[in-house]
Every structure is written in C-alpha cells, then in structure tokens.
Amino acid sequence: MSLLEIIKNIKLEKVFSNRTASTYEIIKLENDYSVRLPEDYKQFLLYFGCGRIGNTEIYGLGCPDNAIPNLRFVIESVKKDNKSFPEMMIPIGKSFEGCFICILCAPYKNLAYGAIIECKTLNEHDKIMKNEMLIASSFENYIKIISASQNIKE
C-alpha cells in the first residue's frame, strides 16, 4: 500500500486549510534552505499540505504562512531561536513532551537520509541539540507508527 493510500485510509484530518502545497512551493523551500526533502514527505505535501493524524500534528505547506503548522514559519522560528540547529534537520512536528520531530534531508551522524528523529533536549545555554532518537526510517514508516500507536486503522 502506498503512502497516499495509507493516509487516505487512516483519514488524515486536514487542519488550517484545504489547500495543498504546489511543486513550486516545495522546490522554493528546498532552494531557500539548501535541502532535498525525501520523496515520501514531498508526496504528503503535494496531496495533503499539512494535517493531523489522531493527536499528532504534521507540519507542512498549504496552510497560513504566519503560524504553526506552516513549515517555512517553523523552520524560521527554530533556526532563529536555536542557531546551531542542524541544517539537514527539518522540523515536521512536535512531540507531547515538546521535543521536535524532524526529517533528515541528508545523512546525520549514523542516521540515513529520510529518517525521522526526535530531538530530545536543547541545551538552553548554548542551544545545542542533544539525544536525537530514531523514530522511523522514513516518513511513510512514521505515518504507520503514528496510526498504530493511536489505534487508527488503515
């Protein structure tokens, strides 16, 4: 089953807007931040924009650009507040504990391109990320984990 079929079957709740991202918006974001988004996340942006699955909000494009969950707004806010936030990490959500959920746009440490990680803590004194924890090997697997953990049937 493809990512799109999985998301349609678990009934992603569209929040903030019914507009999806355009190919132009995705390319512009990639160029502006010098990243290459994984294909499965790009498909999510193109077909859904942003949304919520159960209690999990997923940041994206196609929503108002001056607040969360707009991806560009989130990236700007995070990088402004955390100067050493790694460039290859794009925040796509936040956990219940307030930790960033990030997608890797390049290999990082021993983690592969496209992996989804949780950044457990920030050192408030020098703004350094600590304790990154692998959640899923891909965005598609992350969606499957979310739906399983929240008892949402595919």
Side-chain angles (χ1 to χ4, degrees), residues 85-114:
F85 198 88
E87 291 181 13
M88 79 288 297
M89 287 185 195
I90 299 295
I92 61 166
K94 226 170 190 183
S95 70
F96 293 120
E97 298 83 23
C99 303
F100 288 109
I101 305 298
C102 298
I103 194 163
L104 295 181
C105 296
Y108 177 73
K109 296 184 179 177
N110 62 341
L111 302 169
Y113 166 75

PDB file of all heavy atoms in Angstrom, residues 85-114:
ATOM      1  N   PHE A  85      20.958  24.660  15.304  1.00  0.00           N
ATOM      2  CA  PHE A  85      20.065  23.605  14.828  1.00  0.00           C
ATOM      3  C   PHE A  85      20.605  23.096  13.489  1.00  0.00           C
ATOM      4  O   PHE A  85      20.804  23.877  12.568  1.00  0.00           O
ATOM      5  CB  PHE A  85      18.651  24.161  14.652  1.00  0.00           C
ATOM      6  CG  PHE A  85      17.592  23.109  14.596  1.00  0.00           C
ATOM      7  CD1 PHE A  85      16.999  22.657  15.763  1.00  0.00           C
ATOM      8  CD2 PHE A  85      17.186  22.569  13.397  1.00  0.00           C
ATOM      9  CE1 PHE A  85      16.003  21.687  15.726  1.00  0.00           C
ATOM     10  CE2 PHE A  85      16.203  21.602  13.342  1.00  0.00           C
ATOM     11  CZ  PHE A  85      15.605  21.165  14.514  1.00  0.00           C
ATOM     12  N   PRO A  86      20.887  21.800  13.379  1.00  0.00           N
ATOM     13  CA  PRO A  86      21.497  21.275  12.146  1.00  0.00           C
ATOM     14  C   PRO A  86      20.668  21.568  10.903  1.00  0.00           C
ATOM     15  O   PRO A  86      19.450  21.363  10.888  1.00  0.00           O
ATOM     16  CB  PRO A  86      21.577  19.769  12.414  1.00  0.00           C
ATOM     17  CG  PRO A  86      21.583  19.655  13.904  1.00  0.00           C
ATOM     18  CD  PRO A  86      20.686  20.769  14.386  1.00  0.00           C
ATOM     19  N   GLU A  87      21.325  22.059   9.859  1.00  0.00           N
ATOM     20  CA  GLU A  87      20.637  22.456   8.631  1.00  0.00           C
ATOM     21  C   GLU A  87      19.920  21.313   7.941  1.00  0.00           C
ATOM     22  O   GLU A  87      18.934  21.530   7.250  1.00  0.00           O
ATOM     23  CB  GLU A  87      21.633  23.097   7.662  1.00  0.00           C
ATOM     24  CG  GLU A  87      22.119  24.442   8.143  1.00  0.00           C
ATOM     25  CD  GLU A  87      23.089  25.078   7.171  1.00  0.00           C
ATOM     26  OE1 GLU A  87      23.204  24.602   6.026  1.00  0.00           O
ATOM     27  OE2 GLU A  87      23.728  26.067   7.578  1.00  0.00           O
ATOM     28  N   MET A  88      20.425  20.081   8.107  1.00  0.00           N
ATOM     29  CA  MET A  88      19.796  18.962   7.406  1.00  0.00           C
ATOM     30  C   MET A  88      18.559  18.429   8.121  1.00  0.00           C
ATOM     31  O   MET A  88      17.891  17.546   7.626  1.00  0.00           O
ATOM     32  CB  MET A  88      20.799  17.826   7.174  1.00  0.00           C
ATOM     33  CG  MET A  88      21.070  16.940   8.379  1.00  0.00           C
ATOM     34  SD  MET A  88      22.050  17.695   9.690  1.00  0.00           S
ATOM     35  CE  MET A  88      23.578  18.021   8.910  1.00  0.00           C
ATOM     36  N   MET A  89      18.222  18.997   9.300  1.00  0.00           N
ATOM     37  CA  MET A  89      17.021  18.593  10.029  1.00  0.00           C
ATOM     38  C   MET A  89      15.909  19.595   9.770  1.00  0.00           C
ATOM     39  O   MET A  89      16.080  20.784   9.986  1.00  0.00           O
ATOM     40  CB  MET A  89      17.285  18.569  11.534  1.00  0.00           C
ATOM     41  CG  MET A  89      18.111  17.448  12.007  1.00  0.00           C
ATOM     42  SD  MET A  89      18.174  17.554  13.821  1.00  0.00           S
ATOM     43  CE  MET A  89      19.522  16.440  14.125  1.00  0.00           C
ATOM     44  N   ILE A  90      14.768  19.098   9.337  1.00  0.00           N
ATOM     45  CA  ILE A  90      13.606  19.947   9.125  1.00  0.00           C
ATOM     46  C   ILE A  90      12.531  19.512  10.125  1.00  0.00           C
ATOM     47  O   ILE A  90      12.094  18.360  10.103  1.00  0.00           O
ATOM     48  CB  ILE A  90      13.080  19.819   7.674  1.00  0.00           C
ATOM     49  CG1 ILE A  90      14.141  20.242   6.662  1.00  0.00           C
ATOM     50  CG2 ILE A  90      11.783  20.607   7.506  1.00  0.00           C
ATOM     51  CD1 ILE A  90      14.539  21.695   6.713  1.00  0.00           C
ATOM     52  N   PRO A  91      12.118  20.414  11.018  1.00  0.00           N
ATOM     53  CA  PRO A  91      11.077  20.048  11.992  1.00  0.00           C
ATOM     54  C   PRO A  91       9.735  19.851  11.287  1.00  0.00           C
ATOM     55  O   PRO A  91       9.270  20.746  10.590  1.00  0.00           O
ATOM     56  CB  PRO A  91      11.009  21.249  12.938  1.00  0.00           C
ATOM     57  CG  PRO A  91      12.068  22.189  12.522  1.00  0.00           C
ATOM     58  CD  PRO A  91      12.578  21.781  11.194  1.00  0.00           C
ATOM     59  N   ILE A  92       9.143  18.673  11.464  1.00  0.00           N
ATOM     60  CA  ILE A  92       7.848  18.402  10.842  1.00  0.00           C
ATOM     61  C   ILE A  92       6.755  18.203  11.888  1.00  0.00           C
ATOM     62  O   ILE A  92       5.616  17.909  11.543  1.00  0.00           O
ATOM     63  CB  ILE A  92       7.916  17.184   9.893  1.00  0.00           C
ATOM     64  CG1 ILE A  92       8.302  15.921  10.652  1.00  0.00           C
ATOM     65  CG2 ILE A  92       8.852  17.461   8.727  1.00  0.00           C
ATOM     66  CD1 ILE A  92       8.077  14.638   9.870  1.00  0.00           C
ATOM     67  N   GLY A  93       7.104  18.368  13.159  1.00  0.00           N
ATOM     68  CA  GLY A  93       6.118  18.221  14.223  1.00  0.00           C
ATOM     69  C   GLY A  93       6.767  18.391  15.577  1.00  0.00           C
ATOM     70  O   GLY A  93       7.972  18.645  15.683  1.00  0.00           O
ATOM     71  N   LYS A  94       5.953  18.257  16.608  1.00  0.00           N
ATOM     72  CA  LYS A  94       6.436  18.345  17.976  1.00  0.00           C
ATOM     73  C   LYS A  94       5.773  17.233  18.772  1.00  0.00           C
ATOM     74  O   LYS A  94       4.596  16.944  18.590  1.00  0.00           O
ATOM     75  CB  LYS A  94       6.098  19.706  18.580  1.00  0.00           C
ATOM     76  CG  LYS A  94       7.259  20.319  19.304  1.00  0.00           C
ATOM     77  CD  LYS A  94       7.009  21.740  19.697  1.00  0.00           C
ATOM     78  CE  LYS A  94       8.331  22.304  20.171  1.00  0.00           C
ATOM     79  NZ  LYS A  94       8.224  23.642  20.650  1.00  0.00           N
ATOM     80  N   SER A  95       6.541  16.614  19.662  1.00  0.00           N
ATOM     81  CA  SER A  95       6.000  15.536  20.485  1.00  0.00           C
ATOM     82  C   SER A  95       5.219  16.128  21.655  1.00  0.00           C
ATOM     83  O   SER A  95       5.276  17.335  21.914  1.00  0.00           O
ATOM     84  CB  SER A  95       7.140  14.658  21.015  1.00  0.00           C
ATOM     85  OG  SER A  95       7.889  15.374  21.985  1.00  0.00           O
ATOM     86  N   PHE A  96       4.516  15.276  22.368  1.00  0.00           N
ATOM     87  CA  PHE A  96       3.761  15.728  23.533  1.00  0.00           C
ATOM     88  C   PHE A  96       4.677  16.346  24.590  1.00  0.00           C
ATOM     89  O   PHE A  96       4.275  17.209  25.346  1.00  0.00           O
ATOM     90  CB  PHE A  96       2.976  14.572  24.160  1.00  0.00           C
ATOM     91  CG  PHE A  96       1.885  14.068  23.266  1.00  0.00           C
ATOM     92  CD1 PHE A  96       1.880  12.763  22.827  1.00  0.00           C
ATOM     93  CD2 PHE A  96       0.860  14.905  22.851  1.00  0.00           C
ATOM     94  CE1 PHE A  96       0.876  12.297  21.998  1.00  0.00           C
ATOM     95  CE2 PHE A  96      -0.146  14.459  22.025  1.00  0.00           C
ATOM     96  CZ  PHE A  96      -0.141  13.149  21.598  1.00  0.00           C
ATOM     97  N   GLU A  97       5.931  15.896  24.624  1.00  0.00           N
ATOM     98  CA  GLU A  97       6.898  16.414  25.592  1.00  0.00           C
ATOM     99  C   GLU A  97       7.531  17.714  25.120  1.00  0.00           C
ATOM    100  O   GLU A  97       8.381  18.284  25.803  1.00  0.00           O
ATOM    101  CB  GLU A  97       8.013  15.384  25.851  1.00  0.00           C
ATOM    102  CG  GLU A  97       7.540  14.087  26.455  1.00  0.00           C
ATOM    103  CD  GLU A  97       7.009  13.104  25.415  1.00  0.00           C
ATOM    104  OE1 GLU A  97       7.370  13.204  24.223  1.00  0.00           O
ATOM    105  OE2 GLU A  97       6.207  12.251  25.800  1.00  0.00           O
ATOM    106  N   GLY A  98       7.167  18.184  23.942  1.00  0.00           N
ATOM    107  CA  GLY A  98       7.720  19.425  23.420  1.00  0.00           C
ATOM    108  C   GLY A  98       8.996  19.257  22.619  1.00  0.00           C
ATOM    109  O   GLY A  98       9.647  20.231  22.268  1.00  0.00           O
ATOM    110  N   CYS A  99       9.371  18.022  22.323  1.00  0.00           N
ATOM    111  CA  CYS A  99      10.571  17.756  21.528  1.00  0.00           C
ATOM    112  C   CYS A  99      10.227  17.877  20.045  1.00  0.00           C
ATOM    113  O   CYS A  99       9.114  17.564  19.623  1.00  0.00           O
ATOM    114  CB  CYS A  99      11.093  16.353  21.803  1.00  0.00           C
ATOM    115  SG  CYS A  99      11.463  16.046  23.532  1.00  0.00           S
ATOM    116  N   PHE A 100      11.199  18.318  19.251  1.00  0.00           N
ATOM    117  CA  PHE A 100      10.978  18.407  17.812  1.00  0.00           C
ATOM    118  C   PHE A 100      11.004  17.025  17.176  1.00  0.00           C
ATOM    119  O   PHE A 100      11.831  16.193  17.508  1.00  0.00           O
ATOM    120  CB  PHE A 100      12.049  19.265  17.136  1.00  0.00           C
ATOM    121  CG  PHE A 100      11.914  20.720  17.423  1.00  0.00           C
ATOM    122  CD1 PHE A 100      12.823  21.354  18.243  1.00  0.00           C
ATOM    123  CD2 PHE A 100      10.866  21.453  16.885  1.00  0.00           C
ATOM    124  CE1 PHE A 100      12.694  22.698  18.521  1.00  0.00           C
ATOM    125  CE2 PHE A 100      10.726  22.795  17.161  1.00  0.00           C
ATOM    126  CZ  PHE A 100      11.643  23.427  17.982  1.00  0.00           C
ATOM    127  N   ILE A 101      10.091  16.806  16.236  1.00  0.00           N
ATOM    128  CA  ILE A 101      10.129  15.640  15.369  1.00  0.00           C
ATOM    129  C   ILE A 101      10.678  16.176  14.046  1.00  0.00           C
ATOM    130  O   ILE A 101      10.112  17.100  13.470  1.00  0.00           O
ATOM    131  CB  ILE A 101       8.730  15.029  15.160  1.00  0.00           C
ATOM    132  CG1 ILE A 101       8.060  14.709  16.492  1.00  0.00           C
ATOM    133  CG2 ILE A 101       8.813  13.811  14.238  1.00  0.00           C
ATOM    134  CD1 ILE A 101       8.773  13.686  17.338  1.00  0.00           C
ATOM    135  N   CYS A 102      11.797  15.617  13.594  1.00  0.00           N
ATOM    136  CA  CYS A 102      12.476  16.148  12.408  1.00  0.00           C
ATOM    137  C   CYS A 102      12.653  15.076  11.349  1.00  0.00           C
ATOM    138  O   CYS A 102      12.818  13.898  11.661  1.00  0.00           O
ATOM    139  CB  CYS A 102      13.857  16.680  12.789  1.00  0.00           C
ATOM    140  SG  CYS A 102      13.815  18.037  13.970  1.00  0.00           S
ATOM    141  N   ILE A 103      12.664  15.523  10.105  1.00  0.00           N
ATOM    142  CA  ILE A 103      13.001  14.648   8.989  1.00  0.00           C
ATOM    143  C   ILE A 103      14.408  15.026   8.541  1.00  0.00           C
ATOM    144  O   ILE A 103      14.758  16.211   8.520  1.00  0.00           O
ATOM    145  CB  ILE A 103      11.967  14.777   7.854  1.00  0.00           C
ATOM    146  CG1 ILE A 103      12.114  13.633   6.848  1.00  0.00           C
ATOM    147  CG2 ILE A 103      12.028  16.132   7.175  1.00  0.00           C
ATOM    148  CD1 ILE A 103      10.907  13.461   5.953  1.00  0.00           C
ATOM    149  N   LEU A 104      15.225  14.023   8.250  1.00  0.00           N
ATOM    150  CA  LEU A 104      16.601  14.286   7.831  1.00  0.00           C
ATOM    151  C   LEU A 104      16.657  14.466   6.317  1.00  0.00           C
ATOM    152  O   LEU A 104      16.228  13.594   5.568  1.00  0.00           O
ATOM    153  CB  LEU A 104      17.525  13.146   8.246  1.00  0.00           C
ATOM    154  CG  LEU A 104      17.704  12.955   9.751  1.00  0.00           C
ATOM    155  CD1 LEU A 104      18.658  11.797  10.024  1.00  0.00           C
ATOM    156  CD2 LEU A 104      18.215  14.224  10.410  1.00  0.00           C
ATOM    157  N   CYS A 105      17.206  15.584   5.908  1.00  0.00           N
ATOM    158  CA  CYS A 105      17.341  15.893   4.477  1.00  0.00           C
ATOM    159  C   CYS A 105      18.737  15.578   3.973  1.00  0.00           C
ATOM    160  O   CYS A 105      19.100  15.944   2.857  1.00  0.00           O
ATOM    161  CB  CYS A 105      16.975  17.351   4.236  1.00  0.00           C
ATOM    162  SG  CYS A 105      15.251  17.667   4.627  1.00  0.00           S
ATOM    163  N   ALA A 106      19.518  14.922   4.797  1.00  0.00           N
ATOM    164  CA  ALA A 106      20.862  14.430   4.469  1.00  0.00           C
ATOM    165  C   ALA A 106      21.242  13.464   5.590  1.00  0.00           C
ATOM    166  O   ALA A 106      20.662  13.533   6.674  1.00  0.00           O
ATOM    167  CB  ALA A 106      21.865  15.588   4.394  1.00  0.00           C
ATOM    168  N   PRO A 107      22.196  12.567   5.352  1.00  0.00           N
ATOM    169  CA  PRO A 107      22.638  11.701   6.450  1.00  0.00           C
ATOM    170  C   PRO A 107      23.132  12.556   7.618  1.00  0.00           C
ATOM    171  O   PRO A 107      23.674  13.639   7.432  1.00  0.00           O
ATOM    172  CB  PRO A 107      23.772  10.889   5.827  1.00  0.00           C
ATOM    173  CG  PRO A 107      23.512  10.936   4.361  1.00  0.00           C
ATOM    174  CD  PRO A 107      22.892  12.280   4.107  1.00  0.00           C
ATOM    175  N   TYR A 108      22.928  12.072   8.832  1.00  0.00           N
ATOM    176  CA  TYR A 108      23.331  12.799  10.041  1.00  0.00           C
ATOM    177  C   TYR A 108      23.822  11.784  11.054  1.00  0.00           C
ATOM    178  O   TYR A 108      23.084  10.850  11.396  1.00  0.00           O
ATOM    179  CB  TYR A 108      22.146  13.587  10.591  1.00  0.00           C
ATOM    180  CG  TYR A 108      22.419  14.320  11.877  1.00  0.00           C
ATOM    181  CD1 TYR A 108      23.208  15.455  11.889  1.00  0.00           C
ATOM    182  CD2 TYR A 108      21.880  13.883  13.074  1.00  0.00           C
ATOM    183  CE1 TYR A 108      23.461  16.144  13.060  1.00  0.00           C
ATOM    184  CE2 TYR A 108      22.121  14.570  14.256  1.00  0.00           C
ATOM    185  CZ  TYR A 108      22.902  15.696  14.242  1.00  0.00           C
ATOM    186  OH  TYR A 108      23.156  16.374  15.410  1.00  0.00           O
ATOM    187  N   LYS A 109      25.058  11.965  11.492  1.00  0.00           N
ATOM    188  CA  LYS A 109      25.686  11.009  12.407  1.00  0.00           C
ATOM    189  C   LYS A 109      25.544   9.620  11.783  1.00  0.00           C
ATOM    190  O   LYS A 109      25.961   9.407  10.668  1.00  0.00           O
ATOM    191  CB  LYS A 109      25.091  11.126  13.809  1.00  0.00           C
ATOM    192  CG  LYS A 109      25.354  12.474  14.453  1.00  0.00           C
ATOM    193  CD  LYS A 109      24.851  12.533  15.864  1.00  0.00           C
ATOM    194  CE  LYS A 109      25.158  13.897  16.465  1.00  0.00           C
ATOM    195  NZ  LYS A 109      24.646  14.051  17.804  1.00  0.00           N
ATOM    196  N   ASN A 110      24.916   8.670  12.476  1.00  0.00           N
ATOM    197  CA  ASN A 110      24.769   7.325  11.903  1.00  0.00           C
ATOM    198  C   ASN A 110      23.374   7.098  11.330  1.00  0.00           C
ATOM    199  O   ASN A 110      22.972   5.969  11.093  1.00  0.00           O
ATOM    200  CB  ASN A 110      25.082   6.266  12.963  1.00  0.00           C
ATOM    201  CG  ASN A 110      24.118   6.343  14.143  1.00  0.00           C
ATOM    202  OD1 ASN A 110      23.462   7.363  14.350  1.00  0.00           O
ATOM    203  ND2 ASN A 110      24.035   5.275  14.909  1.00  0.00           N
ATOM    204  N   LEU A 111      22.633   8.183  11.077  1.00  0.00           N
ATOM    205  CA  LEU A 111      21.261   8.073  10.585  1.00  0.00           C
ATOM    206  C   LEU A 111      21.185   8.402   9.095  1.00  0.00           C
ATOM    207  O   LEU A 111      21.888   9.285   8.613  1.00  0.00           O
ATOM    208  CB  LEU A 111      20.354   9.019  11.382  1.00  0.00           C
ATOM    209  CG  LEU A 111      20.337   8.772  12.892  1.00  0.00           C
ATOM    210  CD1 LEU A 111      19.647   9.908  13.613  1.00  0.00           C
ATOM    211  CD2 LEU A 111      19.676   7.441  13.199  1.00  0.00           C
ATOM    212  N   ALA A 112      20.296   7.718   8.398  1.00  0.00           N
ATOM    213  CA  ALA A 112      20.203   7.849   6.944  1.00  0.00           C
ATOM    214  C   ALA A 112      19.282   8.993   6.520  1.00  0.00           C
ATOM    215  O   ALA A 112      18.400   9.417   7.262  1.00  0.00           O
ATOM    216  CB  ALA A 112      19.682   6.539   6.351  1.00  0.00           C
ATOM    217  N   TYR A 113      19.516   9.471   5.315  1.00  0.00           N
ATOM    218  CA  TYR A 113      18.640  10.445   4.660  1.00  0.00           C
ATOM    219  C   TYR A 113      17.199   9.949   4.723  1.00  0.00           C
ATOM    220  O   TYR A 113      16.931   8.778   4.479  1.00  0.00           O
ATOM    221  CB  TYR A 113      19.097  10.612   3.204  1.00  0.00           C
ATOM    222  CG  TYR A 113      18.122  11.319   2.303  1.00  0.00           C
ATOM    223  CD1 TYR A 113      17.962  12.699   2.385  1.00  0.00           C
ATOM    224  CD2 TYR A 113      17.363  10.617   1.376  1.00  0.00           C
ATOM    225  CE1 TYR A 113      17.075  13.359   1.542  1.00  0.00           C
ATOM    226  CE2 TYR A 113      16.478  11.268   0.532  1.00  0.00           C
ATOM    227  CZ  TYR A 113      16.332  12.642   0.629  1.00  0.00           C
ATOM    228  OH  TYR A 113      15.457  13.299  -0.188  1.00  0.00           O
ATOM    229  N   GLY A 114      16.273  10.835   5.088  1.00  0.00           N
ATOM    230  CA  GLY A 114      14.863  10.482   5.126  1.00  0.00           C
ATOM    231  C   GLY A 114      14.371   9.959   6.458  1.00  0.00           C
ATOM    232  O   GLY A 114      13.165   9.809   6.660  1.00  0.00           O
TER     233      GLY A 114
END
